[in-house]
């Protein structure tokens, strides 16, 4: 199993540009998550999904959108990038056995800089 | 929201045990206690979790206080590879309340 994969690893955006961060998992997990991590800080939940077609907001959803058309993929869309979105983005997945009661598997992250 | 409190940083000598504390005085009865760690430039990885009883796995042990208001992650013999940020977090019933604090940065001295 590859686990959770994320692309790209690095990206530089200009203010106002848009992009999609890709996330794929091959563990057949129903739950998937997007977090952001600012320098020296913990992770903050942006969006999560409990299954294909179902998504919900986390702690910091503004400026982002998600979709979940398949179990495997959970892309994160940034519209009109702003410098405040400069961060490292992590995707994660877990089995659907109660919220946060089981292990989450994280991807390697995408480092995004908006200038 | 139930939050956790951890020391900002700790140091340990290589091959010695490490006890990483976490306070969670407002924990509710159904909150699981989870520990993750994050090695430099990597995503977090699961270490261990528990509800009431002490737990052991191949990576570490988790000691939970009887009143569940605190817990301790125990690394039995620290190695250089254990140098990481360790996060103590509580499992919540709704994801918009997940709190991943700044964690404890563990340094391991050769």
């Amino acid at each position: 199993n590859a686990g959770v994969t994320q692309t790209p690893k690095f990206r530089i955006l200009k203010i106002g540009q848009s992009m999609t961060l890709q996330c794929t998992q091959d563990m057949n997990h129903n739950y998937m998550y997007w977090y952001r991590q600012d320098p020296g800080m913990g992770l903050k939940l942006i969006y999560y999904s409990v299954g294909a077609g179902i998504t919900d907001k986390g702690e910091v959803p503004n400026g982002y959108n998600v979709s979940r058309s398949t179990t495997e993929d959970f892309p994160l869309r940034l519209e009109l990038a702003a410098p405040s979105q400069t961060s490292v983005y992590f995707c994660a997945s877990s089995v659907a056995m109660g919220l946060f009661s089981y292990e989450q598997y994280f991807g390697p992250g995408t480092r995004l800089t908006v200038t | 929201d139930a939050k956790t409190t951890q020391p900002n940083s700790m140091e340990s000598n290589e091959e010695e045990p490490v006890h990483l504390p976490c306070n969670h005085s407002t924990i509710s009865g159904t909150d699981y206690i989870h520990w993750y760690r994050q090695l430099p430039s990597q995503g977090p990885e699961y270490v261990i979790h528990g509800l009431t009883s002490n737990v052991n796995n191949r990576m570490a042990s988790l000691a939970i206080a009887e009143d569940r208001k605190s817990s301790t992650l125990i690394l039995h013999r620290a190695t250089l590879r254990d140098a990481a940020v360790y996060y103590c977090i509580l499992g919540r019933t709704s994801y918009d309340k997940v709190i991943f604090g700044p964690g404890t940065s563990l340094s391991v001295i050769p």
Side-chain angles (χ1 to χ4, degrees):
Chain A
N1 286 351
V4 179
T5 57
Q6 293 182 238
T7 56
K9 286 187 169 55
F10 304 93
R11 183 73 185 268
I12 298 174
L13 281 182
K14 295 190 187 304
I15 294 171
Q17 287 185 323
S18 301
M19 77 165 293
T20 299
L21 282 67
Q22 300 292 345
C23 175
T24 300
Q25 55 93 7
D26 62 359
M27 296 173 283
N28 202 33
H29 287 167
N30 282 332
Y31 283 74
M32 295 188 74
Y33 321 86
W34 274 106
Y35 294 90
R36 60 175 287 174
Q37 184 174 35
D38 298 332
M41 306 294 285
L43 279 72
K44 293 186 177 180
L45 184 67
I46 306 171
Y47 270 97
Y48 69 98
S49 169
V50 302
I54 307 170
T55 63
D56 207 347
K57 296 177 182 178
E59 184 184 358
V60 289
N62 291 343
Y64 307 94
N65 279 301
V66 293
S67 59
R68 184 94 182 270
S69 58
T70 67
T71 299
E72 295 78 20
D73 300 309
F74 190 39
L76 177 72
R77 178 82 178 161
L78 278 73
E79 305 281 1
L80 300 175
S84 60
Q85 293 178 305
T86 294
S87 190
V88 180
Y89 291 84
F90 291 102
C91 180
S93 72
S94 67
V95 297
M97 294 290 289
L99 290 174
F100 229 68
S101 297
Y102 285 78
E103 177 179 356
Q104 287 195 358
Y105 295 82
F106 283 81
T110 294
R111 187 175 297 274
L112 175 67
T113 301
V114 182
T115 62
Chain B
D1 297 345
K3 295 186 179 179
T4 62
T5 304
Q6 300 176 253
N8 290 334
S9 62
M10 291 184 64
E11 275 188 357
S12 172
N13 292 319
E14 194 176 9
E15 297 189 2
E16 291 189 355
V18 184
H19 290 233
L20 296 161
C22 180
N23 288 321
H24 29 77
S25 58
T26 60
I27 192 171
S28 71
T30 55
D31 283 342
Y32 281 80
I33 301 159
H34 296 254
W35 285 83
Y36 283 74
R37 72 179 186 180
Q38 187 174 22
L39 302 172
S41 300
Q42 294 188 25
E45 65 173 342
Y46 168 84
V47 177
I48 200 166
H49 79 278
L51 185 61
T52 56
S53 304
N54 294 344
V55 184
N56 300 299
N57 66 21
R58 62 175 179 81
M59 289 181 70
S61 296
L62 175 61
I64 301 173
E66 198 169 331
D67 62 5
R68 299 207 331 124
K69 293 186 176 182
S70 65
S71 61
T72 302
L73 178 71
I74 302 166
L75 307 179
H76 296 287
R77 288 183 69 202
T79 68
L80 297 179
R81 194 193 175 277
D82 291 322
V85 177
Y86 286 79
Y87 299 100
C88 169
I89 52 181
L90 301 181
R92 304 296 284 168
T93 56
S94 61
Y95 273 98
D96 61 354
K97 295 180 180 178
V98 169
I99 299 173
F100 242 112
T104 296
S105 179
L106 174 67
S107 301
V108 179
I109 302 167

